[in-house]
Amino acid sequence: MSVIGDVLFYNRNGASVSDHARYFHGQLRETVGRLPQSEFDAKSDDEVVDLVAAEMRMDSLEVDFEKAEKDVQETTVEVRDQFGFRDGPISVPALRATKSIPFTGDAGLWTVGTGTWSTSMPQGEVSGNKLVVGMVVRTNQAAEAKTHIDRTIQEIGQYLAQQRVQIDAYNDGLPAQIRPLVEERRKHRGAASALLDQL
């Protein structure tokens, strides 16, 4: 038996949604600062806050489990000869069972941790805007493929829920993080204008 794809919601460097949020928070000042002066002057503080928040928000993965496409293909797998009649592995009939699930959002979030750890991590393969989960099993082990796919989909749902809580908290906190930066730029702008008038 072999599971299709890599471990999901896992990053070899340990990066999590919280790390992404901290990185984006660090970019807020630069994002406010690069808004063209004419556009900044023409908008109210609330409008600038909304504009920057829209640019810097994180979009959760939205996975449409109801539209999953199922597929089973006949194949072969190599196994060791249990009785020692042959040298090396032998090929036996097998089935490749998959579900291909459409999703929207940042595909990079499939490889970002949630800050929690489980002994059973879901595995899958991201291809375009679809996540493929499945398993290759010997023909007489078909039931194990269904069990694996059902369990994987359940685990993915749990991880997505954890991720969404963290992303929603980041998005909800953006206006409060951005407003002081907008006010600071407005203050500097006012000081520059005052000096220009004096000159």
Side-chain angles (χ1 to χ4, degrees), residues 176-198:
Q177 297 286 332
I178 296 168
R179 185 170 296 280
L181 302 175
V182 173
E183 292 172 350
E184 181 182 325
R185 180 174 173 183
R186 192 79 71 189
K187 182 179 177 182
H188 287 305
R189 176 63 173 160
S193 296
L195 178 57
L196 181 64
D197 291 341
Q198 293 172 18

Side-chain angles (χ1 to χ4, degrees), residues 154-181:
Q154 181 183 15
E155 290 171 347
I156 287 170
Q158 293 169 352
Y159 275 90
L160 286 172
Q162 294 170 8
Q163 208 177 63
R164 193 171 293 114
V165 168
Q166 295 172 311
I167 291 172
D168 286 348
Y170 162 78
N171 288 335
D172 291 346
L174 276 175
Q177 297 286 332
I178 296 168
R179 185 170 296 280
L181 302 175

Side-chain angles (χ1 to χ4, degrees), residues 63 70 97 127-128 152 194:
V63 182
K70 54 189 177 181
S127 177
T152 299

Side-chain angles (χ1 to χ4, degrees), residues 3-198:
V3 175
I4 294 170
D6 298 319
V7 175
L8 302 171
F9 308 106
Y10 169 76
N11 185 285
R12 200 169 288 160
N13 298 322
S16 67
V17 174
S18 298
D19 294 321
H20 274 246
R22 279 192 292 274
Y23 171 78
F24 285 127
H25 273 142
Q27 301 299 307
L28 291 178
R29 182 180 298 278
E30 180 183 335
T31 306
V32 171
R34 73 169 177 259
L35 194 67
Q37 192 64 59
S38 58
E39 187 175 0
F40 183 82
D41 290 342
K43 294 183 181 299
S44 68
D45 285 3
D46 287 342
E47 289 172 327
V48 175
V49 169
D50 290 344
L51 184 68
V52 175
E55 181 179 344
M56 297 301 291
R57 69 176 281 111
M58 292 171 60
D59 293 324
S60 300
L61 287 167
E62 300 297 333
V63 182
D64 195 343
F65 293 106
E66 297 299 319
K67 291 187 178 176
E69 298 174 1
K70 54 189 177 181
D71 184 48
V72 177
Q73 296 179 6
E74 295 180 1
T75 184
T76 59
V77 293
E78 290 188 344
V79 298
R80 293 196 174 278
D81 180 8
Q82 296 179 0
F83 302 103
F85 297 132
R86 296 173 182 239
D87 291 331
I90 59 173
S91 293
V92 298
L95 300 171
R96 184 181 191 272
T98 61
K99 276 194 175 180
S100 182
I101 312 164
F103 71 88
T104 58
D106 181 1
L109 289 172
W110 288 115
T111 58
V112 175
T114 60
T116 58
W117 180 257
S118 171
T119 54
S120 177
M121 300 284 289
Q123 288 180 243
E125 181 179 272
V126 178
S127 177
N129 65 340
K130 291 189 177 180
L131 174 70
V132 180
V133 298
M135 182 179 251
V136 178
V137 294
R138 296 174 69 163
T139 303
N140 62 356
Q141 297 172 319
E144 293 185 32
K146 180 185 184 310
T147 299
H148 166 76
I149 291 172
D150 290 345
R151 184 180 66 246
T152 299
I153 288 174
Q154 181 183 15
E155 290 171 347
I156 287 170
Q158 293 169 352
Y159 275 90
L160 286 172
Q162 294 170 8
Q163 208 177 63
R164 193 171 293 114
V165 168
Q166 295 172 311
I167 291 172
D168 286 348
Y170 162 78
N171 288 335
D172 291 346
L174 276 175
Q177 297 286 332
I178 296 168
R179 185 170 296 280
L181 302 175
V182 173
E183 292 172 350
E184 181 182 325
R185 180 174 173 183
R186 192 79 71 189
K187 182 179 177 182
H188 287 305
R189 176 63 173 160
S193 296
L195 178 57
L196 181 64
D197 291 341
Q198 293 172 18

